[in-house]
């Protein structure tokens, strides 16, 4: 279709209908107005009358623009007189150039207020960006009629409104959940020493989709005592109208103050699996002096390269010469045991390059041949632990995975094959076995872990002993009877919360990987027992028997997808799955939240008030989870 010159200012509020060029569409109310024809036959009278009757305020603004049009304009064109220049009306571009700004509360302006506030939260930009010259000039060119609001306006009006809308949406999503599991931790900002308490929620939707969200990153004033922690936890729960009975499990690290705080609020709790595994491995790394010395020597090498740009350049040149991967060495940190594993793995990968570099530098000491061998054995021994740490750090990891992983790790350490591959690490192997036994000895007594494993279609009873499987079964029966009695008395379809809870790299590394997962499958196949029960048949017993007879899915399959497909077949059992499979196995979710908070509290925003920081982190994390719709 031939393009049409839109000279009238009315076209600021209208556009030609894409289906019928004889019609114009009002951009304010989407009503279609007749143009009287096409081309020279078309007119704007009907559009003007529509504006006058339906959009009087906009029509008055338009009238001011029409009245301001200069009737005659003299253009100095060489070789012509001014009288020969025809009169012209201002174009749409001329109108924009007049910079008629939108009011701060205009609907079109508010749209961009919210987009800018979202950008500040999502990209961790300082609030002062609305005052920066570059950003201001960009918007002046892109949106001439838009005036940037002040930082105060964004902080006091737009960001709180976005926070409130997302709050309502998450609260509405949680209202349909059978149970909520929670993770929490405390973090102190290094820039201003402000402390925050995290509170993240995890639940299974009616469609068996695992969902989560940040409920709070609350400023924490006063001492970090158990009493203060309990007070703040209750404050957050009350703010979200979370009933005590709806909180299924509280996952935290093993800090004494956090343990005390959770006990004071009387939540059923579980300790973070990754924190417990971290302590077990750290103790095992210290069990053998040769290993400690080897790690210290490797750490000195890494520190030298990371602190010297010249050394990194020379190492890169050697890597290219030897056709090695052009990787930097990895520095470990004390709070992440797997960073030490990656340090050793990268050192072993770059062994030839490092040895060649050290040979030309007398001030640097290389690892001995025995230490390089010891490092390779450590990687071989710890590879399954690294894989488990990575798996359980996932946002989809569930508490049901803890017992199978610990059971398989114990079996892995008992293999003669592992002893043969790590002949120089007898004390470390023994320490790992002892640490796993002592730190995870209560798993088979905790109904949270037992029932979650029982209801996970990847594991069922295959990773539980006969006694543990029977106990999980009896716990489900008791909870079902309790739920049924409560439903009959109150006609409530929500199942009650459970009554109580009790407390290279090298080929060798790849072999460790395969050996461990062989152990994992071997445990599952060994315990594939069938039990005969003689209780009177009822709905839940029939479902349990049918469930146990179904085919166990692969360990890399999604248990929530399985339950979504089979929930109608197990209407009662699926309710318990929604409760017990809602809990993550670690508090990593809270720690990742603090990583995001660290980006909010950077050098450019070290004076940010804790109240504003909480809202920015809340929006930053939850806005993508609600698909940017609120």
């Amino acid at each position: 279709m031939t393009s049409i010159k839109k000279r009238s200012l009315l076209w600021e509020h209208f556009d030609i209908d894409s289906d019928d060029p004889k019609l114009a569409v009002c951009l304010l109310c989407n009503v279609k107005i007749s143009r009287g024809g096409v081309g020279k036959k078309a007119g704007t009278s009907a559009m003007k009358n529509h504006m006058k009757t339906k959009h009087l305020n906009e029509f008055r603004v338009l009238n001011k623009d029409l009245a301001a049009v200069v009737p005659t304009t003299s253009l100095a064109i060489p070789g012509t007189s001014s009288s020969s220049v025809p009169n012209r009306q201002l174009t749409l571009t001329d109108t924009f150039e007049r910079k008629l700004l939108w009011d701060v509360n205009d609907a079109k302006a508010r749209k961009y207020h919210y987009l800018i506030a979202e950008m500040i939260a999502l990209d961790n930009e300082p609030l002062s960006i609305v005052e920066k010259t570059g950003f201001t000039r960009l918007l002046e060119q892109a949106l001439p009629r838009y005036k940037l609001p002040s930082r105060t306006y964004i902080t006091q009006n737009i960001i709180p409104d976005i926070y409130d809308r997302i709050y309502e949406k998450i609260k509405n999503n949680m209202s349909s959940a059978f149970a909520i599991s929670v993770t929490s931790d405390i973090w102190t900002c290094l820039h201003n020493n402000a402390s925050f308490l995290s509170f993240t929620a995890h639940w299974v939707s009616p469609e068996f989709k695992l969902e989560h969200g940040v409920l709070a990153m609350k400023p924490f004033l006063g001492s970090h005592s158990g009493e203060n922690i309990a007070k703040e936890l209750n404050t957050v729960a009350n703010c979200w109208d979370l009933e005590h009975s709806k909180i299924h499990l509280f996952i935290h690290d093993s800090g004494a103050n956090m343990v005390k705080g959770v006990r004071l609020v009387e939540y059923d709790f579980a300790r973070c699996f990754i924190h417990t595994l971290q302590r077990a491995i750290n103790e095992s790394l210290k069990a053998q002096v040769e290993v400690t010395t080897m790690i210290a020597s490797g750490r000195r090498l890494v520190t030298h390269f990371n602190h010297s740009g010249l050394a990194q350049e020379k190492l890169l040149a050697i890597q290219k010469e030897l056709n090695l991967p052009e990787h930097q060495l990895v520095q470990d940190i004390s709070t992440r045991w797997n960073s030490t594993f990656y340090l050793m793995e990268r050192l072993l990968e770059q062994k030839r390059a490092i040895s060649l570099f050290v040979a030309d530098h007398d001030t640097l000491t290389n690892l001995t041949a025995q230490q390089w061998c010891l490092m390779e054995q450590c990687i071989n021994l710890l590879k399954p632990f690294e894989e488990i740490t990575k798996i359980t750090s996932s946002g989809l990891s569930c508490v049901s995975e803890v017992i199978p992983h610990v059971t398989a790790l114990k079996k892995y350490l008992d293999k003669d094959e592992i002893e043969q591959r790590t002949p120089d690490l007898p004390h470390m192997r023994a320490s790992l076995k002892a640490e796993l036994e002592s730190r995870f000895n209560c798993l088979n007594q905790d109904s949270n872990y037992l029932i979650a494993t029982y209801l996970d279609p990847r594991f069922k009873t295959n990773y539980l002993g006969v006694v543990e499987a029977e106990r999980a079964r009896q716990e489900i029966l008791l909870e079902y009877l309790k739920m049924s009695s409560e439903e009959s008395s109150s006609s409530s379809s929500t199942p009650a919360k459970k009554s109580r809870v009790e407390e290279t790299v090298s080929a060798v590394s790849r072999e460790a990987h395969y050996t461990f997962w062989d152990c994992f499958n071997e445990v599952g196949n060994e315990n594939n027992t069938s039990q005969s029960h003689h209780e009177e048949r009822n709905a839940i017993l029939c479902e349990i028997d049918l469930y146990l007879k179904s085919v166990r899915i692969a360990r890399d399959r999604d248990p929530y997808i399985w339950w979504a497909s089979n929930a109608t077949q197990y209407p009662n059992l699926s309710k318990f799955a929604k409760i017990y499979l809602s809990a993550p196995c670690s508090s990593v979710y809270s720690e990742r939240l603090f990583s995001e908070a660290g980006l909010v509290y950077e050098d450019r925003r070290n004076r940010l008030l804790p109240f504003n920081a909480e809202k920015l982190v809340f929006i930053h994390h939850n806005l993508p989870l609600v698909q940017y719709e609120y």
Side-chain angles (χ1 to χ4, degrees), residues 415-433:
K415 286 283 184 181
D416 294 337
E417 182 182 357
I418 301 306
E419 184 177 351
Q420 295 169 5
R421 290 178 186 169
T422 57
D424 299 327
L425 299 175
H427 299 298
M428 187 173 172
R429 288 197 312 272
S431 177
L432 279 173
K433 292 179 185 178

Side-chain angles (χ1 to χ4, degrees), residues 266-425:
E266 298 180 343
Y267 288 141
D268 289 345
F269 66 90
R271 299 175 189 267
C272 172
F273 172 69
I274 293 180
H275 274 88
T276 308
L277 195 64
Q278 160 94 8
R279 295 187 176 190
I281 296 173
N282 279 345
E283 289 299 320
S284 300
L285 289 173
K286 299 174 186 176
Q288 201 161 328
V289 178
E290 299 89 344
V291 174
T292 306
T293 305
M294 176 268 295
I295 292 175
S297 300
R299 193 175 288 137
R300 282 193 293 270
L301 284 173
V302 174
T303 301
H304 174 79
F305 287 102
N306 286 346
H307 288 184
S308 172
L310 181 61
Q312 284 190 358
E313 291 178 9
K314 291 183 177 179
L315 182 64
L316 179 61
I318 296 173
Q319 288 171 340
K320 292 179 178 178
E321 182 180 347
L322 297 178
N323 291 322
L324 290 174
E326 297 174 14
H327 295 157
Q328 290 188 355
L329 300 183
V330 176
Q331 187 74 61
D332 65 337
I333 55 176
S334 59
T335 56
R336 297 287 183 271
W337 83 265
N338 51 341
S339 65
T340 304
F341 177 87
Y342 298 136
L343 175 145
M344 294 188 291
E345 198 173 41
R346 185 59 54 83
L347 281 172
L348 194 61
E349 176 192 81
Q350 301 295 331
K351 175 182 176 181
R352 293 169 58 206
I354 293 171
S355 300
L356 201 57
F357 178 91
V358 173
D360 295 334
H361 297 78
D362 298 334
T363 57
L364 200 60
T365 304
N366 195 10
L367 273 68
T368 65
Q370 176 62 24
Q371 285 178 326
W372 284 115
C373 181
L374 200 63
M375 183 178 291
E376 186 171 5
Q377 292 182 37
C378 280
I379 293 172
N380 174 45
L381 182 62
L382 295 176
K383 180 63 177 177
F385 291 85
E386 183 270 335
E387 289 195 58
I388 293 301
T389 301
K390 189 160 53 177
I391 290 171
T392 51
S393 297
S394 165
L396 296 175
S397 184
C398 178
V399 71
S400 63
E401 300 174 15
V402 175
I403 289 179
H405 286 154
V406 171
T407 305
L409 285 172
K410 290 178 181 178
K411 189 172 188 66
Y412 170 80
L413 292 174
D414 288 334
K415 286 283 184 181
D416 294 337
E417 182 182 357
I418 301 306
E419 184 177 351
Q420 295 169 5
R421 290 178 186 169
T422 57
D424 299 327
L425 299 175

